[in-house]
Amino acid sequence: MAARSRERAGGVDRILSKLQSNIEAGNYYEAHQMYRTIYFRYLSQKNYKELLDLLYEGSCTLLKLHQHNSGADLASLVVDVLIKAGSIVTSEDIDKLARLFSLMLPESPERFKFLTGALKWSSQGEDSHRRGHPYLHQHIALILWKEKNYAQSRYHFIHSSDGDGCASMLVEYHVNKGYPSEADLFITQAVLQFLCLKNKSTASVVFYSYTEKHPSVHQGPPYLLPLLNFVWFLLLAVESGKLAVFNVLCEKYQPSISRDPTYPEYLSKIGQIFFGLPPPPPKQQGFLNQQCSLKAVVKILQL
């Protein structure tokens, strides 16, 4: 048994040595195939730890050498091994997955496939993380922000717990891409979405950070823009849990709320989560003259 084990280890060592030689010689296709050979061998032996390290280093190496398809393939195998091994979610593994994501071509289908698998793996164990672990979402949001992909960065920030980072990105997003009149809209939607995800602490952080950092927002509270005052009062109402205050706010600020047809739907869900309101009756406009269905909001949030 020991002799067989040594023979098997020796065979792997020879493959690893040849693999390194192929990389140094620029024979990247051959190197990629050898990585896959080792993948199947280690997987059959359930040698997950060494296999993960090997695939991660190989993927980084190939991606840095602009072997994008091969590198992305190994990155997907990293996720595959994490799933097969039943690995618990750790910050170290999330850091590695984020590193691989950052090395991939921004618009490549392989990058999207990798991210989908990584988020699925990171969602295990926590009902609140069913769209992926907040720490992984934060990493991805920061990478996409650096790439100026504001819309996708925003999505991942909303599913993170990084209110301050989200606020800074939203300020830059609005200044570079938005109309001056939309400064309050950019933050309001984010706050409402955080609240719909039951993340009231991050909702407060992103609001106060945004209003402090935005160059065109008058310091408050109170604020010059009515919609910002509504959000400020809404956060206080959520904290207190007072339904009467919530109802009065929604009534008094109806003109501001009506600026975006999705707001009534968000507020309907917030009313259900934090104030015990029942869902609106089916086939009716329901709460606050809602203009779109609850399914549309769920789709936007991808809850």
Side-chain angles (χ1 to χ4, degrees), residues 11-64:
V12 172
D13 288 341
R14 286 193 295 274
I15 293 176
L16 291 174
S17 176
K18 189 173 181 181
L19 190 158
Q20 185 61 36
S21 297
N22 276 322
I23 290 177
E24 292 173 356
N27 300 323
Y28 303 127
Y29 174 80
E30 289 80 0
H32 178 215
Q33 295 308 306
M34 295 185 75
Y35 274 116
R36 292 191 65 88
T37 297
I38 297 173
Y39 159 76
F40 287 112
R41 184 170 298 187
Y42 275 27
L43 198 63
S44 67
Q45 300 168 4
K46 297 185 178 180
N47 191 353
Y48 299 126
K49 177 64 172 66
E50 289 187 40
L51 179 55
L52 283 170
D53 291 341
L54 182 69
L55 291 173
Y56 172 72
E57 294 298 335
S59 179
C60 287
T61 297
L62 291 174
L63 287 170
K64 289 176 182 177

Side-chain angles (χ1 to χ4, degrees), residues 18 25-26 53 58 65 67 73 85-86 89 119 140 151 156 173 177 205 225 230 257 259 267-268 282 291-292 295-296:
K18 189 173 181 181
D53 291 341
L65 290 168
Q67 303 301 305
D73 177 63
V89 178
L119 288 171
I140 302 305
H156 290 285
Y173 188 10
K177 301 290 185 178
V205 172
L225 298 172
F230 169 74
I257 293 170
R259 289 176 61 196
L267 290 169
S268 176
Q291 313 255 334
C292 61
K295 289 182 180 179

Side-chain angles (χ1 to χ4, degrees), residues 292-303:
C292 61
S293 69
L294 185 57
K295 289 182 180 179
V297 177
V298 173
K299 184 176 180 182
I300 293 170
L301 285 170
Q302 296 190 19
L303 295 175

Side-chain angles (χ1 to χ4, degrees), residues 111-130:
R111 193 191 210 196
F112 176 78
K113 176 185 175 183
F114 166 78
L115 180 57
T116 301
L119 288 171
K120 181 178 179 181
W121 165 76
S122 75
S123 68
Q124 62 180 331
E126 290 282 348
D127 289 341
S128 60
H129 299 165
R130 65 182 183 273

Side-chain angles (χ1 to χ4, degrees), residues 143-163:
I143 292 166
L144 293 169
W145 178 15
K146 187 176 181 180
E147 295 172 357
K148 307 301 181 185
N149 188 343
Y150 296 115
Q152 285 301 308
S153 174
R154 183 190 181 285
Y155 167 79
H156 290 285
F157 267 124
I158 294 296
H159 288 83
S160 78
S161 299
D162 185 3

Side-chain angles (χ1 to χ4, degrees), residues 68 101-109 111-112 144 147 149:
H68 297 292
F101 180 83
S102 71
L103 292 172
M104 294 184 191
L105 293 174
E107 302 301 327
S108 67
R111 193 191 210 196
F112 176 78
L144 293 169
E147 295 172 357
N149 188 343

